[in-house]
């Protein structure tokens, strides 16, 4: 499995932001407000993935007081990290599309609330993507030290 390409993730954010912006041009008045619950949910997931990456890296490097990690568990964590990075990019693009749509409507209460919640959700998605990329990095097998041949 190859590492996630940050360029592809940015491309997903841009494509989904533009698609969401286009859809909202016609449907914004018919949909409910953006739920605020996405922000803490995404942040909890980001913290969990970051912490898992930190623990996994310590176990892979066989730091003192850690148990060796099963290779299959590392493969599953790497797959989780890759899936989370892509899902975070898609949802980040959707929230960015909301922000783009309501930028010129900030004097109204509902669009202002949507801008704040969608902006916070976008930032939480970026944190989740970063945590997923960190977990993916932590699942790599370390190379041989330079002094060994």
């Amino acid at each position: 499995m190859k590492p996630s390409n940050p360029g592809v993730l940015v491309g997903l954010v841009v494509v989904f932001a533009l698609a969401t912006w286009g859809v909202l041009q016609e449907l914004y008045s018919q949909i409910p407000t953006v739920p605020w619950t996405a922000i803490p949910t995404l942040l909890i997931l980001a913290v969990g993935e970051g912490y898992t990456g930190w623990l996994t890296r310590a176990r892979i490097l066989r730091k003192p007081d850690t148990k060796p990690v099963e290779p299959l568990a590392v493969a599953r964590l790497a797959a989780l990290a890759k899936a989370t990075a892509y899902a975070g990019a898609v949802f980040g693009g959707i929230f960015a599309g909301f922000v783009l749509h309501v930028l010129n409507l900030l004097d109204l209460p509902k669009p202002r609330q949507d801008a704040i919640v969608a902006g916070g959700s976008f930032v939480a998605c970026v944190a989740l993507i970063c945590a997923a990329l960190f977990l993916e990095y932590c699942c790599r097998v370390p190379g041989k030290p330079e002094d060994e041949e």
Side-chain angles (χ1 to χ4, degrees):
M1 179 167 49
K2 294 182 180 180
S4 297
N5 184 350
V8 173
L9 297 174
V10 170
L12 281 171
V13 169
V14 169
V15 166
F16 276 88
L18 292 175
T20 302
W21 176 79
V23 169
L24 290 177
Q25 295 296 325
E26 299 295 324
L27 300 176
Y28 182 72
S29 63
Q30 301 170 8
I31 60 173
T33 59
V34 180
W36 64 268
T37 54
I39 299 171
T41 303
L42 293 168
L43 291 176
I44 289 170
L45 288 172
V47 168
E49 286 207 22
Y51 183 68
T52 302
W54 179 68
L55 290 178
T56 303
R57 190 71 182 157
R59 291 177 68 183
I60 287 175
L61 296 176
R62 298 182 190 237
K63 300 258 173 139
D65 299 326
T66 61
K67 296 178 187 176
V69 65
E70 293 288 326
L72 187 57
V74 174
R76 288 177 179 158
L77 287 174
L80 171 71
K82 197 168 188 76
T84 304
Y86 282 94
V90 168
F91 284 106
I94 291 170
F95 289 124
F98 265 92
V99 172
L100 288 174
H101 177 72
V102 298
L103 276 179
N104 59 349
L105 305 170
L106 291 178
D107 53 335
L108 301 171
K110 181 187 178 224
R112 187 179 322 115
Q113 179 186 354
D114 281 347
I116 292 168
V117 173
S121 298
F122 174 75
V123 171
C125 282
V126 171
L128 181 61
I129 293 168
C130 292
L133 292 176
F134 176 70
L135 176 58
E136 190 176 319
Y137 169 78
C138 290
C139 290
R140 292 181 182 177
V141 177
K144 292 183 181 179
E146 293 180 15
D147 56 348
E148 286 185 19
E149 301 270 341

